[in-house]
């Protein structure tokens, strides 16, 4: 057994309290860079073939980012394993990079362009690229009726993100729903919300893990869309919708308004006194 006077126990208790806020801010950072990951993943699929799953590539990249971020807090003894392509960098090249960095000189980077005379229209088509870019920008728009906070009333029904994932046949890939449909409104439950959800038996106690709430109507609209309506994996009975209390709905209205205006995701609020 370990005493609560143990420094590591005390610090871990603090971490557990702050973890939901930290996770929320980390998610906001990844949302900021997601368009770059999406662009790269689609390019890989177009170049390699349809057997490539862009969503899986994005998730692996996000996990790799988190692993490499651990180096910021390295004690000099534990080193995060480098990726294979990073290990393959010649020793001389690394020494040159380090020398240039010490001098404060910018490190020249090779441009990975196309062979002379080969235009973009020859392999993919300028119009095709323009259309794809348009779809990316449209996928993250936060306007229209679905992003009007007034649609959230005291009778609006919500579902847990984990249940929505299963209902649409994505239960095996955590978070896939949010990557595939970034336009969906989602709200990260704070400790007060989780306490209510647990008390009402809508979810099990999950400690510092994130729990997202989605609007049931949005999920039903997705289920009725061409992408899902004929799927044999559709399980709408998994949704288990519920009506949250008014104070929680009010927080979600504020959250939606903040996102609609392009603001940063606010950290979860502390329970009221």
């Amino acid at each position: 057994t370990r005493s609560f006077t143990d420094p590591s126990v005390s610090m871990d208790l603090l971490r557990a309290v702050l973890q939901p806020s930290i996770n929320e801010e980390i998610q906001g950072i990844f949302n900021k860079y997601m368009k770059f990951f999406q662009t790269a993943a689609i390019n890989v699929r177009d170049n390699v073939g349809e057997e490539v799953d862009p969503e899986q590539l994005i998730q692996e990249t996000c996990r790799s980012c988190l692993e490499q971020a651990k180096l910021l807090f390295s004690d000099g003894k534990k080193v995060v394993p480098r990726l294979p392509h990073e290990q393959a960098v010649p020793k001389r090249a690394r020494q040159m990079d380090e020398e240039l960095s010490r001098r404060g000189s910018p490190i020249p980077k090779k441009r990975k362009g196309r062979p002379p005379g080969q235009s973009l229209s020859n392999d993919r088509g300028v119009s095709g690229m323009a259309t794809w870019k348009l779809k990316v920008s449209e996928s993250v728009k936060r306007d229209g009726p679905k992003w009007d906070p007034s649609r959230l009333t005291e009778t609006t029904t919500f579902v847990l993100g984990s249940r929505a994932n299963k209902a649409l046949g994505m239960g095996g890939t955590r978070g896939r729903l949010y990557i595939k449909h970034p336009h969906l409104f989602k709200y990260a439950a704070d400790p007060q919300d989780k306490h209510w959800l647990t008390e009402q038996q809508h979810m099990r106690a999950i400690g510092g893990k994130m729990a997202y709430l989605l609007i049931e109507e949005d999920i039903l609209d997705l289920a009725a869309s061409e992408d899902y309506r004929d799927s044999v994996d559709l399980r709408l009975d998994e949704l288990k919708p519920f009506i949250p209390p008014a104070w929680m709905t009010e927080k979600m209205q504020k959250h939606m308004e903040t996102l609609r205006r392009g603001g940063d995701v606010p950290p979860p609020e502390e329970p009221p006194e």
Side-chain angles (χ1 to χ4, degrees):
T1 60
R2 300 178 71 180
S3 168
F4 281 101
T5 58
D6 187 323
S8 61
V9 173
S10 300
M11 292 303 293
D12 197 57
L13 287 172
L14 175 61
R15 178 206 56 76
V17 172
L18 298 177
Q19 194 68 51
S21 298
I22 294 172
N23 289 350
E24 184 83 9
E25 293 188 26
I26 290 175
Q27 182 66 57
I29 292 172
F30 276 103
N31 289 343
K32 177 181 177 182
Y33 292 100
M34 191 58 63
K35 59 183 178 182
F36 300 109
F37 295 154
Q38 290 171 336
T39 301
I42 294 296
N43 284 339
V44 171
R45 185 188 65 184
D46 290 347
N47 292 328
V48 177
E50 291 297 326
E51 67 273 12
V52 174
D53 184 354
E55 294 163 12
Q56 183 179 354
L57 286 179
I58 292 172
Q59 287 200 344
E60 290 174 353
T61 303
C62 291
R63 286 195 292 268
S64 178
C65 288
L66 292 173
E67 287 297 322
Q68 293 302 308
K70 291 180 181 179
L71 290 171
L72 296 172
F73 305 99
S74 173
D75 57 5
K77 299 176 183 178
K78 299 177 181 179
V79 179
V80 178
R82 300 182 72 84
L83 299 177
H85 69 274
E86 293 175 317
Q87 293 173 343
V89 177
K91 182 178 180 181
R92 177 59 182 161
R94 289 199 301 269
Q95 290 174 343
M96 290 178 63
D97 287 351
E98 292 170 0
E99 181 65 23
L100 287 170
S101 296
R102 284 196 295 268
R103 293 178 183 177
S105 304
I107 301 174
K109 296 183 180 179
K110 294 182 179 179
R111 295 184 60 185
K112 297 181 179 179
R114 301 175 181 270
Q118 181 180 357
S119 66
L120 181 64
S121 58
N122 289 336
D123 54 358
R124 291 189 60 188
V126 175
S127 61
M129 176 63 80
T131 301
W132 182 81
K133 285 185 177 180
L134 181 62
K135 288 181 180 178
V136 171
S137 62
E138 288 176 348
S139 67
V140 294
K141 281 185 178 178
R142 290 168 175 166
D143 54 15
K146 286 188 177 294
W147 282 88
D148 182 357
S150 64
R151 71 181 291 225
L152 305 185
T153 68
E154 294 185 6
T155 59
T156 302
T157 50
F158 290 82
V159 296
L160 289 174
S162 56
R163 290 193 176 278
N165 227 47
K166 292 179 182 178
L168 295 176
M170 304 183 205
T173 310
R174 183 178 298 176
R176 185 174 180 182
L177 175 63
Y178 314 129
I179 296 173
K180 191 171 183 179
H181 304 287
H183 63 282
L184 283 177
F185 168 72
K186 68 178 186 293
Y187 168 78
D190 64 21
Q192 181 189 23
D193 305 327
K194 289 179 185 178
H195 179 71
W196 182 87
L197 291 165
T198 304
E199 274 196 336
Q200 300 300 313
Q201 298 183 345
H202 294 304
M203 59 178 274
R204 298 191 300 271
I206 57 175
K209 293 183 180 179
M210 298 296 289
Y212 286 109
L213 302 186
L214 306 175
I215 302 171
E216 183 195 18
E217 181 185 5
D218 291 350
I219 304 305
L220 294 179
D221 287 346
L222 275 181
S225 69
E226 189 175 340
D227 291 339
Y228 297 98
R229 62 189 176 206
D230 297 324
S231 172
V232 295
D233 296 321
L234 204 60
R235 298 285 186 272
L236 294 183
D237 57 315
E238 288 279 356
L239 287 177
K240 304 289 191 288
F242 58 87
I243 298 177
W247 52 263
M248 192 186 301
T249 301
E250 183 179 345
K251 283 196 289 187
M252 287 190 276
Q253 287 175 330
K254 293 177 180 178
H255 184 71
M256 179 180 282
E257 181 63 31
T258 299
L259 293 177
R260 187 177 69 158
R261 292 180 177 178
D264 294 330
V265 178
E269 297 177 10
E270 292 295 324
E273 294 294 334

